[in-house]
Amino acid sequence: MKKNLLLIICLCCSFNSFSQKVKHTFELSKNDFLLDGKPFQIISGEIHYPRVPREAWRDRMKMAKAMGLNTIGTYVFWNLHEPQKGKFDFSGNNDIAEFVKIAKEEGLWVILRPSPYVCAEWEFGGYPYWLQTEKGLVVRSKDPQYLEEYRKYIDEVGRQLAPLQINHGGNVLMVQVENEYGSYAADKEYLDINRKMFIAAGFDGILYTCDPEADIKGGYLSGLLPAINGQDNPEKVKQMIDKYHDGKGPYFIAEWYPAWFDWWGAPHHTVPAEKYTGKLDSVLSAGISINMYMFHGGTTRGFMNGANYKDISPYEPQISSYDYDAPLDEAGNATDKFGQFRAVIEKHLPKGKSLPPVPASKAAIAIGPFKVSSNFSLFSTLPKGVKNEEPLTFEDLKQDYGYMLYRTKIAGGRKGLLQVKQLRDYAIVFVNQKRVGILDRRTLLDSLELQLPAGEIQLDIFVENMGRINFGKYLLENKKGITEHVLFAGEEVKKWEMFSLPFNDISAYTVKRSTSAEVGEGPVIKKGIFNISKVGDTYLDMTDWGKGVVWINGHNLGKYWSIGPQQTVYVPKEWLKIGKNEVSVLELLQPQQNLMKMIKTPILDKLQKQ
């Protein structure tokens, strides 16, 4: 009887739109969450608002309901909302309040995760780069400088989102404090400071923590609801939460992983749905609430991908596609996994009830091939440089993402080993503007044997920030560029000039520039025009290109790299228009390439040699 009551309440709250005027209550009982005083089982899926075009938020939420979800989980990303110190942005795709409101209009509850550390395969785990420019500041600590910046940020988030909590008439059920903190440290005083900051910012509803099973002890704070990540055995879930919550529930799996993410140079990760349907069934049968990570991954656009780094593995920058082998693919279409998970959820519905119809898959389009109409060498359009005896980092120059060119003059007519100490992360080396080699942090390649021509030569080292580490103890070692010094033939190379190339706005590099067929061997910017008579999702096939970034109509779509596994770049239909469309490409390795095409299906599982 109790199980049927849970399911009836779940169904009603999942599929009946709730009025803007109705206020609800959300509380904890010994075993259950209580919505308006009655047991409620959270069936949630993670969607991150910046990884989906704003124009498509509602469509993705309709898909969530069609699979049987009643709740959406999302992180809040500090580096998006405060990209530069003191300058906040909650507009456009950063308008998380609108994201939450649309969820309410679609009859969905929300679980909010402002942390402010998010991990999420996201640049610096969500922290803004400029925290590293504050001398002595230590993230995830009781450092007064960090806590002061954190307080300012969480107060701004509170202004946006605290009024949308369920106890204020909104649809935010719960708010997460920190994020898997037990995997990082175990300072309960620090966690309590977090709790107090959240309350001061207006988050006065239910607060909870989330940690992997092995780390709950360090990440749990007495008085808050503990949730577990990565464990879906109902008995173990209940045992662990009982242990840290005075022998009672309710029971919440804050991150359930039926899939995984990818990084450059490694195989595409897929997990058969059959491996997880039984586990989902058992969790729902036990009345345990769950948040699927991810329900829909989308795309990590621009320069927002993170990276992993462990003592036992090399640097692993993540790809732009966040397809995640999730129930919804990168374009938001239902996969086989969606269908199988939907069938499990539907199995638990009361007799005579059914889920909403699944929206039809969107039609994709193919475009081209077509040629880029103009191109020019990036080295011919450099901004004003900054001179210094030793190389400066991105952070030294207040540069957030993108690229930096390091230039100096050295005596030629000799042979020696060029070594870049602590390169972060990828570099192309030029002698007199001729490419002589590549350095790559992923493979621990930081040196090249060079034979320099006679005379004074120009040495250029073009460095790419491939994403700051988002997890683990190396979170505090995230400065970019040449972070130590350069040696040639055992001697330190000095007298550098640095040119910042953040590529925050592609138009700054493409307007009023002369074009030339002679692009040289360095990075080039290419522009092309294509015309279409209808819009639809499509995928730029970059298999035959080298490495770089691509924009459509001014929107940064993300990075590509021929090593794979990702070979295509997803182009959302929402960012295309009937008639003329403009594509811009920053190509680093194959400056002569000029043929582009778009195809109907993604290529996410093809590895190639560099």
Side-chain angles (χ1 to χ4, degrees):
M1 183 67 184
K2 180 179 177 182
K3 176 182 173 183
N4 288 338
L5 178 61
L6 277 169
L7 293 170
I8 290 170
I9 297 298
C10 175
L11 176 74
C12 292
C13 294
S14 296
F15 306 121
N16 294 334
S17 60
F18 35 91
S19 167
Q20 297 283 343
K21 298 179 181 179
V22 175
K23 286 190 176 181
H24 299 271
T25 62
F26 192 68
E27 301 169 298
L28 310 180
S29 73
K30 182 175 181 180
N31 293 304
D32 304 309
F33 293 105
L34 299 179
L35 179 62
D36 297 333
K38 298 177 182 178
F40 176 69
Q41 185 176 27
I42 298 168
I43 307 176
S44 176
E46 194 93 358
I47 305 176
H48 297 152
Y49 56 100
R51 283 174 159 143
V52 179
R54 176 181 175 137
E55 302 89 334
W57 286 347
R58 191 179 299 274
D59 288 343
R60 303 301 192 266
M61 292 177 187
K62 288 182 183 297
M63 295 297 291
K65 287 190 69 176
M67 200 181 81
L69 304 184
N70 57 32
T71 306
I72 296 297
T74 186
Y75 283 121
V76 185
F77 300 84
W78 186 353
N79 54 12
L80 288 184
H81 297 299
E82 194 179 4
Q84 300 293 337
K85 184 176 180 178
K87 297 179 180 179
F88 291 93
D89 180 8
F90 290 92
S91 64
N93 240 95
N94 293 345
D95 190 353
I96 184 172
E98 182 63 17
F99 180 83
V100 173
K101 291 172 184 176
I102 291 173
K104 183 174 184 179
E105 291 168 7
E106 292 300 320
L108 290 163
W109 304 100
V110 170
I111 292 175
L112 202 62
R113 312 174 73 191
S115 187
Y117 165 74
V118 301
C119 188
E121 292 70 61
W122 193 266
E123 225 275 342
F124 200 5
Y127 285 121
Y129 89 97
W130 55 262
L131 290 176
Q132 297 182 115
T133 70
E134 304 289 312
K135 188 174 181 181
L137 186 149
V138 180
V139 300
R140 297 190 97 179
S141 79
K142 293 179 290 190
D143 168 52
Q145 292 182 92
Y146 167 66
L147 293 178
E148 176 60 16
E149 298 302 337
Y150 174 6
R151 182 191 61 77
K152 294 175 187 175
Y153 161 70
I154 205 66
D155 284 351
E156 289 291 336
V157 173
R159 291 185 185 98
Q160 296 287 323
L161 297 171
L164 304 182
Q165 295 172 102
I166 188 169
N167 53 322
H168 294 274
N171 58 322
V172 174
L173 295 178
M174 300 192 298
V175 179
Q176 180 180 296
V177 174
E178 247 286 352
N179 185 49
E180 298 186 326
Y181 181 70
S183 301
Y184 187 79
D187 187 337
K188 302 298 182 180
E189 184 181 359
Y190 166 73
L191 280 173
D192 195 49
I193 291 170
N194 278 254
R195 180 187 65 83
K196 290 175 180 176
M197 280 189 177
F198 273 56
I199 294 172
F203 293 113
D204 54 0
I206 294 176
L207 303 178
Y208 75 98
T209 60
C210 78
D211 292 278
E213 181 179 3
D215 302 315
I216 287 183
K217 182 178 180 180
Y220 168 59
L221 182 66
S222 180
L224 303 188
L225 173 70
I228 194 167
N229 292 356
Q231 175 58 262
D232 51 19
N233 180 301
E235 184 178 345
K236 290 184 178 180
V237 169
K238 291 183 176 182
Q239 285 177 351
M240 289 301 297
I241 292 178
D242 285 347
K243 181 177 179 180
Y244 294 101
H245 200 226
D246 301 325
K248 62 184 180 180
Y251 306 100
F252 180 41
I253 302 172
E255 292 186 12
W256 181 63
Y257 311 111
W260 206 241
F261 60 91
D262 292 334
W263 53 92
W264 293 113
H268 177 50
H269 294 85
T270 59
V271 182
E274 294 82 1
K275 185 176 178 180
Y276 282 93
T277 50
K279 296 178 180 181
L280 178 60
D281 189 20
S282 66
V283 166
L284 297 183
S285 297
I288 294 172
S289 291
I290 192 168
N291 179 52
M292 186 179 304
Y293 193 102
M294 299 289 297
F295 164 68
H296 172 52
T299 310
T300 309
R301 296 182 177 87
F303 303 102
M304 287 294 109
N305 68 280
N308 282 336
Y309 196 105
K310 302 175 183 177
D311 292 325
I312 59 174
S313 64
Y315 173 72
E316 297 172 342
Q318 290 115 23
I319 67 174
S320 292
S321 172
Y322 205 58
D323 175 87
Y324 217 91
D325 191 36
L328 282 194
D329 67 16
E330 189 173 5
N333 293 313
T335 65
D336 176 65
K337 188 172 286 183
F338 178 103
Q340 293 199 44
F341 287 178
R342 170 185 159 94
V344 172
I345 296 170
E346 195 165 35
K347 169 185 168 184
H348 289 269
L349 298 179
K351 186 176 181 180
K353 300 296 182 179
S354 61
L355 297 176
V358 179
S361 292
K362 299 174 290 176
I365 61 174
I367 303 170
F370 61 93
K371 288 186 177 181
V372 292
S373 58
S374 62
N375 59 78
F376 54 88
S377 168
L378 183 60
F379 289 176
S380 69
T381 62
L382 295 174
K384 183 178 180 181
V386 174
K387 295 182 179 180
N388 197 65
E389 191 73 3
E390 297 177 343
L392 299 172
T393 66
F394 280 48
E395 291 76 14
D396 290 334
L397 297 178
K398 302 292 191 283
Q399 181 178 336
D400 46 11
Y401 315 114
Y403 310 84
M404 188 178 295
L405 177 64
Y406 294 80
R407 174 170 287 174
T408 190
K409 298 289 180 93
I410 61 175
R414 55 197 175 122
K415 182 179 181 180
L417 184 71
L418 177 74
Q419 186 173 24
V420 181
K421 302 289 288 185
Q422 289 300 314
L423 169 69
R424 298 180 183 163
D425 303 297
Y426 181 92
I428 309 172
V429 181
F430 300 86
V431 171
N432 292 336
Q433 296 202 13
K434 292 188 178 296
R435 191 170 79 196
V436 294
I438 289 172
L439 305 176
D440 189 347
R441 183 184 182 189
R442 295 177 316 113
T443 59
L444 305 180
L445 179 61
D446 67 353
S447 58
L448 291 171
E449 192 73 35
L450 297 181
Q451 176 64 63
L452 301 180
E456 185 180 62
I457 68 107
Q458 178 177 293
L459 175 65
D460 287 330
I461 304 176
F462 181 80
V463 177
E464 177 182 0
N465 165 7
M466 290 194 64
R468 292 181 177 88
I469 294 165
N470 60 261
F471 180 80
K473 64 181 181 180
Y474 294 105
L475 198 66
L476 301 177
E477 299 178 24
N478 256 328
K479 291 190 175 182
K480 292 298 181 180
I482 298 176
T483 62
E484 290 191 8
H485 53 266
V486 179
L487 301 175
F488 181 72
E491 297 181 359
E492 185 174 354
V493 180
K494 296 190 175 184
K495 299 191 179 201
W496 291 91
E497 187 171 14
M498 277 67 59
F499 302 89
S500 291
L501 300 160
F503 276 89
N504 294 325
D505 180 3
I506 185 60
S507 66
Y509 300 88
T510 58
V511 297
K512 299 181 180 179
R513 305 291 187 185
S514 60
T515 62
S516 171
E518 298 298 325
V519 295
E521 297 183 12
V524 295
I525 297 175
K526 296 174 176 286
K527 288 178 61 177
I529 299 294
F530 61 92
N531 288 277
I532 54 177
S533 58
K534 64 177 182 179
V535 298
D537 289 329
T538 188
Y539 302 85
L540 270 163
D541 184 358
M542 308 303 288
T543 306
D544 297 327
W545 289 66
K547 189 179 197 297
V549 185
V550 61
W551 291 258
I552 292 284
N553 295 328
H555 295 279
N556 189 323
L557 301 180
K559 295 183 177 183
Y560 64 90
W561 193 0
S562 61
I563 66 170
Q566 175 186 348
Q567 300 294 343
T568 52
V569 178
Y570 170 54
V571 184
K573 69 175 184 178
E574 292 84 3
W575 292 346
L576 293 174
K577 52 191 177 182
I578 293 174
K580 183 187 294 185
N581 293 264
E582 181 178 89
V583 58
S584 301
V585 184
L586 171 63
E587 168 61 43
L588 306 184
L589 300 177
Q590 296 192 32
Q592 305 305 324
Q593 179 63 265
N594 63 4
L595 192 64
M596 305 199 77
K597 64 178 180 180
M598 302 186 202
I599 58 179
K600 293 184 177 181
T601 55
I603 304 172
L604 300 176
D605 57 357
K606 184 177 180 180
L607 296 172
Q608 299 186 124
K609 291 184 178 181
Q610 187 171 347

